[in-house]
């Protein structure tokens, strides 16, 4: 099931909430590359926090509500239960996006992230935006955790609704304290 809001809306809300909740203001405005630049870098945005640039590729999930979902029906994801979010990744034969993000991760270890909302619908998204919690209600995973894409088949990450990961904010706080 589609969540009802766009990747662009999520990216804006995530970025604004992240910057406003940060203990350190970025050095300048966030950089949203155009489509050609994104094709060369793989990122949707660069946020230049002092000494710690962060890069994000935004992904919209699908909300899976039925036991017929592949991850449940096949039994390949023990512990996963419905409902859950499915985050589709770009196949390597269609896009070099993941490869480009891994290269960027080599230059900026632990600073390149996929970010996806764990927000089920537009009403919840609006409440999260108004409450400035979109970034906290999102999952962020840096490229080093995911590793290289090994397949040309459709790849997706299943995410339980109750998982709350603060990897991004913890990484930012840790790296800012080391400056």
């Amino acid at each position: 099931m589609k969540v009802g809001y766009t990747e662009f809306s999520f990216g804006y809300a995530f970025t604004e909430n992240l910057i406003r909740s940060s203990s350190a203001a970025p050095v300048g405005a966030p950089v949203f590359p155009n489509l050609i630049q994104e094709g060369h870098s793989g990122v949707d945005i660069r946020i230049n926090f002092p000494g710690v640039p962060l890069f994000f590729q935004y992904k919209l999930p699908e909300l899976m509500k039925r036991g017929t979902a592949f991850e449940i029906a096949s039994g390949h994801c023990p512990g996963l239960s419905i409902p859950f979010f499915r985050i589709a990744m770009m196949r390597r034969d269609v896009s070099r996006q993941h490869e480009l993000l891994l290269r960027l991760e080599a230059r900026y270890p632990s600073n390149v992230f996929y970010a996806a909302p764990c927000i089920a619908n537009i009403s919840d998204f609006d409440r999260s935006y108004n409450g400035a919690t979109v970034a906290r209600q999102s999952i962020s995973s840096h490229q080093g955790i995911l590793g290289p894409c090994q397949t040309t088949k459709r790849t997706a990450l299943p995410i339980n609704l109750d998982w709350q990961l603060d990897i991004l904010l913890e990484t930012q706080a840790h790296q800012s304290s080391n400056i």
Side-chain angles (χ1 to χ4, degrees):
M1 180 175 131
K2 302 289 182 191
V3 290
Y5 48 91
T6 66
E7 185 178 294
F8 186 82
S9 292
F10 165 67
Y12 170 78
F14 178 91
T15 302
E16 181 192 33
N17 284 185
L18 177 66
I19 289 171
R20 292 190 189 282
S21 68
S22 176
S23 59
V27 180
V31 178
F32 289 91
N34 63 36
L35 289 176
I36 294 170
Q37 292 166 329
E38 182 182 349
H40 292 297
S41 69
V43 300
D44 284 326
I45 189 169
R46 175 184 176 141
I47 304 172
N48 292 313
F49 284 105
V52 185
L54 296 178
F55 304 88
F56 294 96
Q57 174 52 240
Y58 300 125
K59 295 292 183 186
L60 271 190
E62 290 182 57
L63 180 59
M64 310 310 291
K65 294 182 168 185
R66 297 185 181 163
T68 56
F70 171 79
E71 296 84 348
I72 300 293
S74 68
H76 283 94
C77 298
L80 185 67
S81 59
I82 51 174
F84 69 93
F85 289 107
R86 177 190 289 157
I87 302 166
M89 309 300 285
M90 293 290 266
R91 294 182 356 218
R92 72 173 183 206
D93 64 332
V94 172
S95 172
R96 296 181 359 183
Q97 182 181 73
H98 191 71
E99 176 189 334
L100 292 168
L101 294 171
L102 283 171
R103 284 187 193 166
L104 191 59
E105 173 84 5
R107 285 184 57 203
Y108 299 97
S110 301
N111 289 21
V112 182
F113 298 88
Y114 280 113
C118 293
I119 304 169
N121 57 53
I122 189 72
S123 297
D124 291 347
F125 181 73
D126 288 342
R127 274 191 293 282
S128 297
Y129 177 76
N130 289 333
T133 61
V134 173
R136 288 211 176 269
Q137 290 183 291
S138 300
I139 184 168
S140 301
S141 178
H142 68 84
Q143 305 309 304
I145 290 173
L146 298 177
C149 181
Q150 299 294 333
T151 183
T152 57
K153 296 180 181 176
R154 183 169 181 246
T155 304
L157 301 175
I159 307 297
N160 266 327
L161 288 178
D162 59 352
W163 288 355
Q164 289 295 320
L165 297 184
D166 287 310
I167 294 170
L168 167 67
L169 295 175
E170 289 172 16
T171 300
Q172 178 190 343
H174 174 348
Q175 290 177 342
S176 292
S177 67
N178 290 335
I179 297 172

